[in-house]
Amino acid sequence: MLIWAFIVSLIVALSLTPIIIRLAIRWNIVDKPNYRKVHEKPMPRMGGMAILLSFYIGLVIFLPKELGTIWHIITGSLLIAVVGMLDDKFELSAKMKLLAQILAAVIAVLGGLQIDFIQLPTGEFIYFGALSIPLTILWIVGVTNAINLIDGLDGLAAGVSSIALITITGMALSMGNYLVGAMTLILLGSTLGFLFFNFHPAKIFMGDTGSLFLGYMISTLSLMGLFKNVTIFSIVLPLIILGVPIMDTTFAILRRIIQKKPLSAPDKFHLHHCLLHLGYSHRQTVLLIYAISGIFSIAAVMFNKATLWGSASILVLLLLLIEIIVEATGLIGKRYRPILNFIDSHVMKNKSN
């Protein structure tokens, strides 16, 4: 049944996306070019509606009995999708979108989705107590924004999300979590069906409708599917799987703090912008980021099966990979590279002196 859940959601997305394209044009829900965007002509957006509708149709067909147990995920995702649609049409403020993300995260928490404790390799338990709720909300809001921020090139957010969903599906099923495995497969089929029209040259953008919805679903599904053992390593797994968007978002925050700009201020130093500046084509940049995402996902699978020392070695290698990416692309901005070098070495003097 799992393979049929994937196939049906894929076919539904392939069928719905052309309809959404026509509706977006008719309703004038288009993404207009500006100085920080790559496309040069108005593009229909709100393509995330195809992902969302395909996903919900798949849930109703293949998981009707489980809908009551995941009401909090459905409710939160509906809220986040409605806010995304309003933003695609009217361009809501960053504060309003953040408030909606927090509310959607709270709904998930009220439904029982939270991390109460973790188990250390020594066998000891650490209970988060009152911190479990804010930590869970922070994770959901953080991942939602990470997927939203990486949506800057044709097919980028949909492709990176698909790679993450494939990994979460495999791990959830290996842990015996059928519900999460089925949900991620349905979402994967919906996303790949949309990606057929979104890969460069794109016929439609997913808009905030899609990027916020995907971010929310990936954040909640990763919590549902990868925390069965509640060990210290299970917390690291979703961080590794989502390494690319989390890394890109982290350096975006650092840049804005260093430059004393609002955290919501846009710039052109995201990973995809930096790769384009280095001379890679649009399609080459997207495929290269796919490859990096794939490396992180493979590392997550290896991490899940490795011993304590093996896991530590994988983390070190991933940190080195992040350092190479940052140095090669200038994710934190060339002007502020000395600050990064100082943080790395603790002894180097600022090159501007």
Side-chain angles (χ1 to χ4, degrees), residues 13 30-31 35 42 52 80 109 140 200-201 210 288 312 319 344 346 351:
V30 296
D31 196 337
Y35 74 97
L52 179 147
I80 212 77
V109 170
I140 295 174
H200 185 72
L288 182 55
L319 289 174
D344 287 340
H346 298 286
K351 292 181 182 179

Side-chain angles (χ1 to χ4, degrees), residues 78-95:
L78 273 173
L79 171 62
I80 212 77
V82 169
V83 170
M85 284 186 281
L86 291 174
D87 185 59
D88 286 337
K89 178 61 178 176
F90 303 108
E91 296 189 4
L92 304 178
S93 68
K95 289 183 179 179

Side-chain angles (χ1 to χ4, degrees), residues 46-80:
M46 202 182 74
M49 277 294 296
I51 301 175
L52 179 147
L53 292 174
S54 304
F55 176 69
Y56 288 151
I57 290 171
L59 289 183
V60 171
I61 294 174
F62 294 98
L63 298 173
K65 296 180 180 179
E66 288 82 3
L67 294 179
T69 63
I70 55 173
W71 66 266
H72 52 303
I73 305 300
I74 296 174
T75 305
S77 64
L78 273 173
L79 171 62
I80 212 77

Side-chain angles (χ1 to χ4, degrees), residues 25 28-34 39-45 202-205:
I25 295 173
N28 194 33
I29 304 178
V30 296
D31 196 337
K32 298 178 181 179
N34 61 35
H39 62 286
E40 299 177 351
K41 62 180 181 179
M43 288 287 295
R45 59 199 300 186
K203 296 179 177 64
I204 186 172
F205 293 161

Side-chain angles (χ1 to χ4, degrees), residues 284-323:
Q284 288 171 338
T285 297
V286 171
L287 292 175
L288 182 55
I289 296 177
Y290 283 2
I292 297 171
S293 298
I295 291 172
F296 275 96
S297 289
I298 292 171
V301 174
M302 294 172 61
F303 185 90
N304 189 43
K305 302 296 182 181
T307 61
L308 175 61
W309 287 108
S311 300
S313 300
I314 292 171
L315 284 179
V316 171
L317 290 174
L318 287 176
L319 289 174
L320 287 174
L321 175 61
I322 292 172
E323 171 66 13

Side-chain angles (χ1 to χ4, degrees), residues 14 22 31 39 41 57 84 87 111 124 147 169 180 205 212 226 241 269 291 298 341:
L14 286 170
R22 291 194 290 271
D31 196 337
H39 62 286
K41 62 180 181 179
I57 290 171
D87 185 59
E124 298 178 85
I147 299 298
T169 300
V180 173
F205 293 161
L212 292 178
L226 302 181
I241 293 171
F269 282 101
I298 292 171
N341 289 337

